[in-house]
Amino acid sequence: MLTAFFSASAQTGLHINDLFEGRIISQEQMIETRVRGKTLEKYRLSYYRSLRFNASVADCQRLRRLVDDDARDHFTSIYETNNAYTQKVQVSARDGKNRFLCYQEQRTRQKGQREVTVIYMEGSVGSLEQLEELLK
């Protein structure tokens, strides 16, 4: 039960936490992945949590604002193409762990819909640049 508490509170203090708590998109509409332990050691991470779901353009605008709020005064990498928008942020460290947030939305064949992936990671990796190198 204690592990569940710490897993659920990892994003605490971030604006995007409302999404992880199911207050923006219902949890029934999302595919969630959580990973802890040895699997992540080679990436110098201790926790990985991702959400994948389809969202309306209006929901995506709201989510981008939340990510922008979390990115304020932090290092951010943004990459945009005709079909996708990706934002990666190194947010403030917490409990001695560096924390990272990645947001991606892609256009789908359905008009007005986007496929969204949001990833939260934490660990000892020192920077967003180092994390990108480790994940290559």
Side-chain angles (χ1 to χ4, degrees), residues 54-67:
N54 289 328
S56 67
V57 172
D59 285 335
C60 288
Q61 290 171 340
R62 180 177 179 192
L63 292 169
R64 281 193 194 192
R65 280 193 303 272
L66 293 174
V67 173

Side-chain angles (χ1 to χ4, degrees), residues 31-89:
I31 297 170
E32 180 176 7
T33 302
R34 293 184 196 202
V35 181
R36 280 193 179 277
K38 292 190 183 285
T39 306
L40 297 172
E41 284 179 358
K42 66 181 175 183
Y43 304 109
R44 296 177 25 214
L45 294 171
S46 56
Y47 185 60
Y48 171 99
R49 186 176 182 188
S50 71
L51 300 173
R52 195 174 82 228
F53 52 91
N54 289 328
S56 67
V57 172
D59 285 335
C60 288
Q61 290 171 340
R62 180 177 179 192
L63 292 169
R64 281 193 194 192
R65 280 193 303 272
L66 293 174
V67 173
D68 286 344
D69 288 345
D70 288 329
R72 191 165 290 124
D73 300 324
H74 294 93
F75 180 77
T76 302
S77 167
I78 297 175
Y79 181 73
E80 193 165 4
T81 66
N82 289 338
N83 295 322
Y85 172 87
T86 303
Q87 184 173 3
K88 300 173 189 170
V89 183

Side-chain angles (χ1 to χ4, degrees), residues 59-130:
D59 285 335
C60 288
Q61 290 171 340
R62 180 177 179 192
L63 292 169
R64 281 193 194 192
R65 280 193 303 272
L66 293 174
V67 173
D68 286 344
D69 288 345
D70 288 329
R72 191 165 290 124
D73 300 324
H74 294 93
F75 180 77
T76 302
S77 167
I78 297 175
Y79 181 73
E80 193 165 4
T81 66
N82 289 338
N83 295 322
Y85 172 87
T86 303
Q87 184 173 3
K88 300 173 189 170
V89 183
Q90 182 172 355
V91 296
S92 299
R94 184 168 160 239
D95 298 329
K97 295 180 181 173
N98 293 321
R99 302 187 306 161
F100 304 91
L101 181 62
C102 300
Y103 173 87
Q104 182 179 59
E105 66 183 61
Q106 294 183 312
R107 287 190 176 87
T108 64
R109 294 183 193 269
Q110 289 181 292
K111 189 173 180 144
Q113 287 288 303
R114 304 285 190 264
E115 183 177 291
V116 177
T117 303
V118 180
I119 302 170
Y120 170 86
M121 296 169 279
E122 62 183 39
S124 64
V125 64
S127 69
L128 190 55
E129 183 177 287
Q130 288 176 359

Side-chain angles (χ1 to χ4, degrees), residues 5-16:
F5 169 75
F6 286 117
S7 296
S9 66
Q11 304 80 221
T12 299
L14 299 178
H15 293 90
I16 201 69

